[in-house]
Amino acid sequence: MSHPAHRRPEYHKINKDLFVLTYGALVAQLCKDYEKDEDVNQYLDKMGYGIGTRLVEDFLARSCVGRCHSYSEITDIIAQVAFKMYLGITPSVTCNNSSRNEFSLILDKNPLVEFVEELPAGSSLCYCNLLCGIIRGALEMVHLAADVTFLQDRLKGDSVTEIGITFLKKRDEKKYRWKK
Amino acid sequence: MPLIPSLWESKANRSLEFSCLRPALGAGAGSCVTSGGSRDAARAGPPKLAVCIAVIAKENYPFYIRSTPTENELKFHYMVHTSLDVVDEKISAMAKALVDQRELYLDLLYPTEDYKVYGYVTNSKVKFVMVVDSSNTALRDNEIRSMFRKLHNSYTDVMCNPFYNPGDCIQSRAFDNMVTSMMIQVC
């Protein structure tokens, strides 16, 4: 199978502000529609899942990364290639446990929250939960089950924004081809 | 500061009785004052010379007023309120003159014995009114302009917050910090 260098020769650019405002309007509308923050988080995750399952095809076609052999390689590629390609940021990766299946992405700069001030105290809304859903959906399309949540959130007063990815063990321990 | 709706409802029936208005200290963050004009002179830039800053919506109600705490805030509110007439005059004069300006910096609206009031209007008819101390003669025109520009930029950032509904009082911390940086620091 030939690997095309680029699927599309040029990247179509849109204004980042339009995208950020669209996402903000989406979250604000969800907050109005659903009273509980947990429901909003859940729906954001579901929407992100739908996006992720489709986005991974685009990502694989554009980035042509090779096969990954470990979870840490996968996380590195998510941080350094995928985030860079779609959001323009490069989060740093840390490994949280010795069995090498829990990782954290530390985002120092998050373009999605550019215009949002701090959430009211006690709010459990994960504003960027869409990102968690996207990562989870994308990983599932390449046959990797993972749990993705926000561990820390600057909007809630923490010092950094941290996304935790926990790769779940499959019953059979076969290594799957991760062509991300 | 408690809002006096009647004051802001019709400028034609502006009453001079402000005794019911309890002056609120400007410590309140972005409290929406619909009562009498408050003078908000915010001087942006390194010299902190603003005494009062107000952001007025196009329906002529203020959604952000802040003045320095030591002064009688009521006086400032009244000044801003009365300045709205001058703002309207200038806007209609500019419209007649067919001046095609993108942002209307209205310059000095009127001077009083202690203060000068400056105005700025955006295309969306949101007005920024600033009251500065007359005694500060070092203030130049471009400083005032840059202060208004900063105000306008902060205001657009507040508008972009998805949880902010247009027409609400501005309660953004970033906006407050920016206004504080422009106002006279009173200990």
Side-chain angles (χ1 to χ4, degrees):
Chain A
M1 182 180 116
S2 68
H3 291 263
H6 306 282
R7 185 160 77 102
R8 298 189 197 109
E10 77 260 13
Y11 290 83
H12 299 283
K13 293 196 172 145
I14 67 165
N15 190 338
K16 174 191 79 155
D17 285 346
L18 177 63
F19 174 64
V20 172
L21 286 174
T22 305
Y23 184 71
L26 173 77
V27 178
Q29 189 60 45
L30 280 178
C31 288
K32 281 189 202 135
D33 290 343
Y34 301 107
E35 289 164 9
K36 294 201 211 137
D37 288 340
E38 289 76 24
D39 289 343
V40 178
N41 291 344
Q42 196 190 12
Y43 281 109
L44 279 175
D45 192 73
K46 266 195 206 167
M47 290 195 290
Y49 181 83
I51 295 176
T53 53
R54 294 162 176 85
L55 197 65
V56 70
E57 300 295 333
D58 179 79
F59 176 72
L60 291 176
R62 277 205 215 178
S63 64
C64 306
V65 294
R67 186 191 307 195
C68 287
H69 296 108
S70 69
Y71 291 139
S72 68
E73 271 185 52
I74 296 170
T75 318
D76 283 336
I77 289 194
I78 295 178
Q80 285 154 17
V81 186
F83 265 85
K84 188 87 174 54
M85 188 186 287
Y86 292 110
L87 284 179
I89 56 173
T90 313
S92 52
V93 180
T94 57
C95 182
N96 284 349
N97 71 349
S98 53
S99 58
R100 314 282 302 162
N101 68 334
E102 281 179 26
F103 297 88
S104 287
L105 300 173
I106 315 258
L107 286 79
D108 57 349
K109 191 173 72 104
N110 189 352
L112 287 179
V113 303
E114 192 173 319
F115 298 122
V116 185
E117 303 255 320
E118 267 192 24
L119 297 173
S123 163
S124 58
L125 174 72
C126 291
Y127 186 82
C128 296
N129 221 29
L130 198 85
L131 295 180
C132 294
I134 293 179
I135 297 176
R136 187 169 66 90
L139 288 176
E140 199 149 310
M141 284 306 278
V142 288
H143 310 294
L144 286 164
D147 221 359
V148 189
T149 51
F150 269 92
L151 300 176
Q152 292 189 78
D153 197 348
R154 226 184 228 141
L155 288 180
K156 295 189 189 148
D158 297 320
S159 50
V160 291
T161 305
E162 188 179 340
I163 300 180
I165 306 180
T166 306
F167 291 96
L168 306 170
K169 247 182 220 258
K170 303 283 234 164
R171 262 180 305 121
D172 48 307
E173 302 248 284
K174 205 162 55 159
K175 276 204 190 119
Y176 288 96
R177 296 179 71 193
W178 171 260
K179 281 203 270 193
K180 201 165 187 191
Chain B
M1 179 127 191
L3 303 175
I4 306 289
S6 54
L7 182 61
W8 287 93
E9 264 161 23
S10 74
K11 296 207 351 280
N13 301 338
R14 235 183 356 248
S15 154
L16 292 183
E17 255 98 70
F18 292 95
S19 50
C20 44
L21 286 175
R22 185 167 43 83
L25 290 184
S31 55
C32 193
V33 187
T34 58
S35 56
S38 13
R39 285 187 289 195
D40 285 320
R43 279 189 258 190
K48 299 179 181 202
L49 303 167
V51 175
C52 185
I53 298 187
V55 181
I56 319 276
K58 73 174 171 189
E59 291 89 7
N60 284 337
Y61 69 87
F63 42 44
Y64 186 87
I65 296 192
R66 187 127 157 247
S67 47
T68 54
T70 53
E71 305 277 347
N72 184 352
E73 200 159 304
L74 192 56
K75 185 173 60 158
F76 290 131
H77 285 220
Y78 181 52
M79 268 184 72
V80 166
H81 190 257
T82 54
S83 67
L84 287 181
D85 270 341
V86 186
V87 169
D88 281 341
E89 261 180 59
K90 290 213 173 195
I91 292 179
S92 51
M94 277 188 170
K96 275 194 203 143
L98 296 174
V99 173
D100 194 21
Q101 283 183 48
R102 201 173 61 84
E103 275 160 15
L104 307 172
Y105 170 65
L106 300 172
D107 211 352
L108 187 63
L109 295 177
Y110 64 89
T112 66
E113 65 281 2
D114 293 326
Y115 301 100
K116 294 190 213 160
V117 184
Y118 291 91
Y120 177 96
V121 129
T122 67
N123 272 352
S124 50
K125 296 288 175 275
V126 170
K127 307 158 184 85
F128 296 91
V129 176
M130 187 187 304
V131 180
V132 303
D133 209 316
S134 277
S135 53
N136 194 316
T137 48
L139 203 59
R140 285 173 322 202
D141 193 48
N142 32 351
E143 278 180 22
I144 305 267
R145 277 180 201 263
S146 71
M147 276 160 69
F148 274 125
R149 250 196 307 276
K150 272 174 72 167
L151 264 177
H152 194 182
N153 286 338
S154 298
Y155 172 72
T156 44
D157 284 343
V158 167
M159 285 297 280
C160 286
N161 185 345
F163 297 111
Y164 170 78
N165 301 313
D168 287 354
C169 302
I170 296 180
Q171 283 164 339
S172 144
R173 201 177 303 173
F175 192 80
D176 285 338
N177 293 340
M178 197 266 324
V179 167
T180 314
S181 73
M182 294 200 293
M183 291 181 65
I184 289 181
Q185 294 302 311
V186 218
C187 308

